[in-house]
Amino acid sequence: MKQMISNLSVTLRSNAVTVADFKLPTPVLLAKFSFLPISSFFPTDIITFFPDEFDHIQQEDIKLLLKGFSMGIIADNDPVQVLEEVIALSNSALAYSYLGLYYFKIKAYEEAIAVYSRAIEYFKEEPYFYASRCLVYRSIGEDEGAFYDYQIAKRLDFNYHSVLEWQENQAEVSYFEAENLVIQELESTPKELSTDELNSLGLEYVHCYDYLKAIELYTSAINKNTAGDSNLFVFRGSLYLKLTCFELALNDFNRAIELDENQTAAYVFRAKVFESYRYSEKALDDYAKAEENDSNSSIVYEERASLFERLGCLPEALSDFDRLVELNPDDFYVYSLRADLKEKLEDMHGALVDYSTAIDLNPYYSDLYSYRAAIKEKLGDAVGAKLDLDKFNELEDE
């Protein structure tokens, strides 16, 4: 991961970068040119910074932005004045991200929180800044603030759930790996691992939340398999997606589709990247292609229904949830998803039926009783609502 930010340095300091590169939508800019405040991203070697290396760029705010990045993130100088000048000139989202990242790098956590809070005032719908502030709050043990920001980041873009979950589990990685028998067996073998063994080992490291090691193994498998295996690119790309390294993920999914145009998972995952970029039409096109490839793939309907909900296309979302229920008639969760949507559509009787079915399938999931109680209350069934709340409390106390 340190190599990734070094690669970004090369990109940003290249004469190939133009002003047009910084005219992208804010979510894409942040995805292409910034990193969350995670220490794994920082390079170990300080790279020499030359103050005049950006003189070829005419637009002042972008020139200063690149200068600030090179000073504070790649090199070891103080970029605060430069980045604050960029913010004053253009209120650049990237300037906020680099300034917050710099403060995190030097462990000035209160200052980092202040920067991300300022950014949130101007970019209220960007999950990146909530996730960044969440990570800094975690660094100082401010659990309440971290949880609040986690919930917002997850609501705005569920991909941030994965990277925040990964970061939260880093303290347990060594324990998980020590307890994993497959890892112990494969790591102790004296022979060179085959592609299949590298793949299997990578999956075990994923289970242990060691995504960086898994990426390393998948990369080795990709390099070993000269013919090209679309699945390996999907596996690695899915981890880049979990780490919100969207551009790297996109490259892998594109490569997987080049190798196999019927690679359903690649279309689904690429759609999720496009969702993060707010490219909704591109995401819907990819979900349609995935459905064309495999009309029985539950993940296609679940993910697309969620996108339709966010876009306010509730009848289309309902159609996908209907298909999801048809494919998984014994899964309580899909009924719960559809019930929530029916409530939004003000179909309270339909929501009641779905929650009741979910409870029949999983009578020990306490939250279902709470959800059904709310529906019964709206339907005027106070007695039924109280019974469900009593059951909810009973299960919660067990």
Side-chain angles (χ1 to χ4, degrees), residues 146-164:
F147 181 75
Y148 172 81
D149 281 342
Y150 162 73
Q151 293 294 334
I152 296 179
K154 181 178 71 169
R155 175 178 59 79
L156 292 171
D157 184 344
F158 196 75
N159 287 315
Y160 284 90
H161 158 74
S162 297
V163 70
L164 295 173

Side-chain angles (χ1 to χ4, degrees), residues 70-232:
S70 292
M71 289 173 65
I73 309 305
I74 298 301
D76 204 15
N77 302 308
D78 183 344
V80 173
Q81 182 176 344
V82 173
L83 292 174
E84 288 287 10
E85 188 173 346
V86 179
I87 290 171
L89 284 170
S90 61
N91 207 42
S92 164
L94 283 178
Y96 285 112
S97 75
Y98 293 155
L99 185 55
L101 196 58
Y102 168 71
Y103 280 133
F104 177 81
K105 179 182 177 183
I106 64 172
K107 296 181 170 57
Y109 297 130
E110 294 297 337
E111 289 84 351
I113 289 170
V115 169
Y116 292 129
S117 297
R118 287 165 57 195
I120 287 169
E121 290 181 20
Y122 292 101
F123 304 97
K124 290 182 172 61
E125 297 301 310
E126 295 305 327
Y128 175 90
F129 292 115
Y130 294 98
S132 295
R133 193 170 64 178
C134 171
L135 289 166
V136 183
Y137 275 137
R138 284 182 181 176
S139 297
I140 61 174
E142 180 54 61
D143 294 337
E144 185 175 348
F147 181 75
Y148 172 81
D149 281 342
Y150 162 73
Q151 293 294 334
I152 296 179
K154 181 178 71 169
R155 175 178 59 79
L156 292 171
D157 184 344
F158 196 75
N159 287 315
Y160 284 90
H161 158 74
S162 297
V163 70
L164 295 173
E165 180 185 52
W166 165 75
Q167 189 271 344
E168 190 172 29
N169 279 282
Q170 289 310 287
E172 304 296 326
V173 166
S174 296
Y175 170 78
F176 293 147
E177 292 174 353
E179 294 293 308
N180 189 299
L181 297 180
V182 177
I183 288 177
Q184 303 311 313
E185 178 183 353
L186 288 175
E187 289 285 16
S188 63
T189 181
K191 67 180 181 64
E192 183 178 349
L193 297 179
S194 67
T195 299
D196 287 342
E197 288 171 328
L198 289 168
N199 184 13
S200 297
L201 187 57
L203 181 59
E204 295 303 322
Y205 276 111
V206 171
H207 293 157
C208 296
Y209 290 98
D210 196 341
Y211 296 166
L212 304 185
K213 180 65 176 177
I215 286 171
E216 178 185 319
L217 290 164
Y218 288 137
T219 300
S220 296
I222 286 169
N223 293 336
K224 184 182 285 286
N225 190 321
T226 54
D229 183 341
S230 65
N231 288 314
L232 292 173

Side-chain angles (χ1 to χ4, degrees), residues 2-4 11 40 127 220 267 291 310 319 334 371 391:
K2 294 180 172 72
Q3 185 61 43
M4 288 164 50
T11 300
S40 303
S220 296
Y267 286 106
E291 182 184 17
R310 289 192 293 276
S319 177
V334 299
Y371 301 150
K391 185 63 176 179

Side-chain angles (χ1 to χ4, degrees), residues 27-46:
V28 186
L29 269 180
L30 290 168
K32 289 172 80 73
F33 297 126
S34 197
F35 288 90
L36 292 172
I38 297 173
S39 56
S40 303
F41 290 149
F42 291 113
T44 51
D45 299 324
I46 296 174

